[in-house]
Amino acid sequence: MLPKGHRLTSSGDHRAAMRHGSRAGGTGLVVSVLLRSQESLSDPAPWRCGLVVSKAVGNAVVRHRVQRRLRHVVMEMMREGALEPVPEASRDIVIRASPEITELNHSQLRTEVVSAAQRAQRKALRRRVRA
């Protein structure tokens, strides 16, 4: 389970990250990263994460397994600092799973999540510099 301060809980936060964040895809998933400025933050968390696993992925057992696996990968990724820190900003990350994700083993899943998140963050940083 992700710590409470690191979870995207409202649908508005999910929607904002999906609509306005930078996206990058991988096998079985799409990662959206939205950078938030420190002035607009009410919470001190450097990152928050949300997961979207639709019924297209499988039945409830399969969907929950995918969510558990993704949460585990996200926790590993954040502990190890797989994403570079962004100065004076926090990031919202949303991972949307597609049916192909069930075919990936742990190392493949981790590689896909990390590489997609890094690409999405680089895109977000480029957009931020231009703005």
Side-chain angles (χ1 to χ4, degrees), residues 107-127:
S107 62
Q108 292 170 326
L109 180 63
R110 184 179 177 354
T111 302
E112 292 295 326
V113 171
V114 169
S115 68
Q118 288 173 342
R119 284 183 286 132
Q121 182 169 304
R122 280 195 301 266
K123 286 181 184 179
L125 287 170
R126 282 195 304 263
R127 286 171 80 183

Side-chain angles (χ1 to χ4, degrees), residues 66-130:
V66 167
Q67 287 176 356
R68 282 192 309 271
R69 293 176 70 207
L70 285 171
R71 278 195 306 262
H72 183 75
V73 168
V74 167
M75 286 303 296
E76 282 181 0
M77 188 172 80
M78 295 304 169
R79 265 191 230 116
E80 295 170 3
L83 292 179
E84 302 166 12
V86 180
E88 299 168 5
S90 178
R91 65 188 144 237
D92 288 348
I93 301 169
V94 174
I95 302 172
R96 190 176 68 218
S98 60
E100 298 83 27
I101 201 166
T102 59
E103 299 167 8
L104 302 177
N105 65 32
H106 181 75
S107 62
Q108 292 170 326
L109 180 63
R110 184 179 177 354
T111 302
E112 292 295 326
V113 171
V114 169
S115 68
Q118 288 173 342
R119 284 183 286 132
Q121 182 169 304
R122 280 195 301 266
K123 286 181 184 179
L125 287 170
R126 282 195 304 263
R127 286 171 80 183
R128 186 176 181 201
V129 169
R130 276 191 257 146

